Amino acid sequence: MPVNFVRRHAFIIGLVVVIGIIRFAILFLSQRHVISDEAIVGLMAKHILEGRNFPFYLYGVSYSGSGAWEAYLAVIPFALFGVGVFALKSVPVLLSLGCIVLFYAMAKKLYDERVAIIAAVIFALWPGLLKWQFQAKGYAFYFISIPLLVLLFARLESKPSRQNAFLFGLICGLSLWSLEIIAPIIAALWIVLLCRRRVREMTMSIFGALVGYAPVIYWNFSHNFANWRFVLFEKPETGGLISRFAPAQWWQIFAHEMPKFFGPDTVLWYFPETPWTGYVMYAVAIIAIVAAIVRVKTNDSHADLLMLILIAAAFALYVIAPVRVPGYFLAGAFFMSILVARAIVSANRILASAMLLAVITCGAYTIVRTAMQDQIETLVVVKPPLGLEMSRIPGRDIDAVEQDLAQNQIREVWTTISFVYPLIFETNEKLVASESIFGIERSFYPPQIPKPEPSTSERATFVLETNSPYRAEIEKTLLQKGGTPPRIAEHGALTVIEQRLASQQ
C-alpha cells in the first residue's frame, strides 16, 4: 500500500482496523450461535457450495436479494474454513467495515473532514447498530447501500453529469433489489432531485435504475410477479392503517419504543425492559435533531436538511408498518450519527464534550456487554401456535442441547419454530428437525431440496424452551404412548424430552 495513500487516509484506516479487531473479538467470544433467519442464509450458502441450488431471494420468501447475496459471499469462507457459524458471521462483519468506509466518505462529501471523523467514530460505536453487524440475515448489503446511495447523490449534486446520474440510478435499482425497505430513502432522494429541477439527470438516473433493477423485473415475469405481489399487496397490510396513527400510538412510539430502539438489543422485536444506554442515546439524538432544525431555519443548510428528510423517510416506514420492529428504522441511525457529529462541532465546549462522552460511554459499554454475553436474542412461542415474544437464550444452553443430542445419538427432533433451522445448520444438516407437529407446515427449503421430516414411527424427541406452553402436554402424551415417563434433560432455557418405552426399564 503506497505510503502517501496511508498518510492521506490514516484516520479511516486506523478506525477500520481497530473496529475490525473489536468486532472479530466479539465474534469469537459471544456470537457462536445463529437465529432462524441466519441459519436459513447459512443453509443457502451450504447448498450453493454443494451446487444444489442457486437462489435469487431468501429461501421461503420472494424478497430480500441481500440475503441471497450474503449467502453467495459466505461460500468463500465456507470453502476455506468449512461450514459453520463463524464463517457465516464473518461476512456481515467484513461488510460492516466496508460500510464504515462508505459512511466516512459520505459524511466528508456532505460536510468536512472534521465532521466526517467524528461522525465515523459515532457511527462505529452506535449501540443500536452493534449486534446487527453480526447478523447474517439480509441486512449487510442494505447497510452498505445507504451511505453509497447518499454519497452518489451528493456527487451528482456537486458534479451533474450523465455518468454520475446513471451510476446513482444503477445503485438505486440494485439497492431496491437488495432489500425493499430502502424504497423510502430512494424516493426521498429522487424527490429532492425533482425539487431541485434536475430533470436531465433524473432521466439518466431512471435509465440506470432500470438497468440495476432489470434482474428483478425478469425474475418477476418468470415467477408470476411473486416479488411485486408481496411488496405491493401482501406485506403492506393497509388494513388498520388509520389506527396506526392514533394519538396513543404516537405516545407508545416516542415514550416507549424509541428509547428501546437506541439500546443494544434491537435485533428483532423489542424486549420489555429499556437499557439505560437507550435513554442516553435517545436524548443525544433529540438534541442533535433539534439543533439541525434550528440550523436549517437560520442558515439554510442543505446537507442538514437532507439528513432530516432522510430520517423522516426512514421513520415514515417505521410508523406505517403493521408491526413496528427496529429493522424498519435502522437507516435513521446513519443520518442521526452525522447530525450528532454536527451538533458536537457546532455546540459550546461543555455540551459538545458531554454529547461525545455520552456516545463513547454508551458505545464502549455496549461493546463490553455484548462481548461478555454469549447468547442469542430470538422469538419464542408463549401462546400457541404463533404467540411470540423476545427471549435471550444463553449459548451454553444451546451447546448443552447439541451435546445431549449427539451423546444420545438422536438424529431426529421435533422443536418449536425458532430452533428448527438453527439446529439443522449448526449440526451441518446431520440432524432432522421440524415444527410441523405443532401445526406449522411451512418449509423454507426450496422445492428442489425437499426438507426431511422426522419419522413418526420412531421414538419422538422434542427440543423446547424450558417454560414452553407445549411442554406439559408433550410429557403427558409421551408417558401415555411409551408407558413410562420420558427422559427429561433441562439445559437452562432449553429442555430435551425423549420418549422412552416401558420395555427399556
Side-chain angles (χ1 to χ4, degrees):
M1 188 178 293
V3 176
N4 289 338
F5 178 87
V6 174
R7 288 176 178 173
R8 270 198 324 271
H9 304 284
F11 163 75
I12 191 61
I13 292 173
L15 180 64
V16 167
V17 169
V18 171
I19 296 300
I21 292 172
I22 290 172
R23 289 183 180 173
F24 272 101
I26 293 174
L27 180 56
F28 274 111
L29 292 171
S30 67
Q31 303 297 309
R32 301 185 302 107
H33 295 282
V34 294
I35 61 173
S36 188
D37 290 344
E38 295 178 286
I40 291 169
V41 173
L43 290 169
M44 289 169 63
K46 181 176 182 290
H47 296 162
I48 294 168
L49 179 64
E50 296 168 347
R52 299 167 68 189
N53 193 47
F54 301 96
F56 190 84
Y57 287 122
L58 277 171
Y59 276 180
V61 295
S62 55
Y63 64 94
S64 183
S66 178
W69 300 353
E70 287 179 34
Y72 282 103
L73 201 53
V75 169
I76 299 173
F78 278 13
L80 294 175
F81 308 110
V83 176
V85 174
F86 177 80
L88 174 66
K89 286 178 175 283
S90 67
V91 171
V93 171
L94 288 171
L95 290 175
S96 76
L97 301 180
C99 186
I100 292 175
V101 175
L102 289 171
F103 179 87
Y104 171 76
M106 172 189 72
K108 190 174 180 180
K109 182 69 176 178
L110 290 170
Y111 296 97
D112 55 41
E113 187 168 8
R114 185 184 179 193
V115 171
I117 288 173
I118 298 173
V121 172
I122 293 170
F123 176 71
L125 294 176
W126 197 270
L129 291 175
L130 178 61
K131 288 185 179 179
W132 287 89
Q133 316 307 336
F134 307 97
Q135 301 283 308
K137 58 180 186 178
Y139 276 80
F141 283 99
Y142 167 67
F143 288 154
I144 283 179
S145 297
I146 294 167
L148 183 58
L149 276 173
V150 180
L151 175 63
L152 293 175
F153 173 84
R155 182 179 175 184
L156 177 59
E157 285 266 274
S158 61
K159 295 181 180 179
S161 69
R162 290 185 176 181
Q163 181 180 354
N164 287 342
F166 176 83
L167 185 58
F168 169 68
L170 179 69
I171 299 303
C172 284
L174 290 172
S175 298
L176 196 58
W177 175 13
S178 170
L179 194 60
E180 288 80 358
I181 62 174
I182 204 169
I185 302 297
I186 294 175
L189 293 173
W190 283 57
I191 290 171
V192 172
L193 275 181
L194 185 62
C195 291
R196 294 178 182 176
R197 299 181 180 179
R198 303 283 191 182
V199 178
R200 185 167 56 183
E201 286 78 16
M202 282 195 67
T203 303
M204 185 56 67
S205 293
I206 291 172
F207 176 64
L210 289 173
V211 173
Y213 197 63
V216 180
I217 296 174
Y218 174 81
W219 189 92
N220 272 285
F221 274 94
S222 59
H223 290 78
N224 197 27
F225 309 104
N227 169 250
W228 291 342
R229 283 190 289 107
F230 178 83
V231 172
L232 297 176
F233 302 108
E234 297 174 22
K235 184 66 174 179
E237 295 185 28
T238 54
L241 183 62
I242 295 177
S243 66
R244 298 204 283 272
F245 287 91
Q249 294 298 316
W250 290 102
W251 173 254
Q252 175 69 19
I253 290 171
F254 289 110
H256 299 286
E257 294 177 8
M258 284 298 101
K260 299 178 191 294
F261 172 82
F262 288 92
D265 295 328
T266 58
V267 289
L268 284 172
W269 292 2
Y270 293 117
F271 283 94
E273 68 275 9
T274 304
W276 65 268
T277 52
Y279 288 112
V280 173
M281 291 301 297
Y282 188 27
V284 169
I286 290 174
I287 293 171
I289 291 172
V290 171
I293 293 172
V294 172
R295 284 194 302 271
V296 168
K297 287 185 175 181
T298 57
N299 300 327
D300 193 27
S301 174
H302 291 297
D304 287 341
L305 178 59
L306 179 62
M307 295 298 97
L308 291 171
I309 290 172
L310 294 176
I311 291 171
F315 188 67
L317 177 66
Y318 177 83
V319 170
I320 66 175
V323 179
R324 293 191 302 268
V325 293
Y328 288 127
F329 190 39
L330 289 174
F334 286 68
F335 312 121
M336 284 185 281
S337 296
I338 291 183
L339 292 186
V340 171
R342 280 281 284 151
I344 289 172
V345 169
S346 59
N348 63 67
R349 183 174 298 179
I350 295 176
L351 179 58
S353 299
M355 292 178 69
L356 185 58
L357 179 62
V359 173
I360 292 174
T361 301
C362 291
Y365 171 80
T366 301
I367 288 171
V368 173
R369 178 177 179 263
T370 303
M372 294 176 63
Q373 293 181 333
D374 180 15
Q375 63 184 24
I376 61 170
E377 291 87 12
T378 190
L379 293 166
V380 298
V381 177
V382 293
K383 184 178 180 181
L386 286 176
L388 305 170
E389 70 175 25
M390 289 296 295
S391 180
R392 298 177 177 89
I393 309 295
R396 63 179 179 274
D397 297 350
I398 303 174
D399 290 334
V401 166
E402 292 175 352
Q403 291 169 8
D404 184 314
L405 299 177
Q407 289 172 0
N408 289 281
Q409 299 182 338
I410 297 170
R411 295 289 177 262
E412 300 180 349
V413 299
W414 302 100
T415 186
T416 49
I417 189 170
S418 301
F419 296 98
V420 174
Y421 294 96
L423 287 174
I424 294 173
F425 173 70
E426 293 191 18
T427 59
N428 206 7
E429 289 191 288
K430 295 176 182 177
L431 183 73
V432 175
S434 176
E435 76 279 31
S436 61
I437 201 170
F438 300 112
I440 301 171
E441 300 294 339
R442 183 181 183 186
S443 171
F444 284 90
Y445 274 58
Q448 304 92 317
I449 307 176
K451 179 177 174 293
E453 288 288 307
S455 172
T456 56
S457 62
E458 300 293 330
R459 286 183 296 151
T461 301
F462 292 80
V463 174
L464 304 169
E465 300 85 1
T466 298
N467 298 322
S468 171
Y470 294 112
R471 180 173 172 175
E473 184 63 26
I474 287 171
E475 291 181 11
K476 178 182 177 182
T477 301
L478 294 184
L479 172 60
Q480 293 172 345
K481 289 187 174 182
T484 189
R487 179 180 73 89
I488 300 174
E490 290 191 358
H491 303 290
L494 299 175
T495 294
V496 176
I497 306 175
E498 181 184 7
Q499 182 181 12
R500 293 192 299 184
L501 304 177
S503 59
Q504 295 178 302
Q505 297 302 304

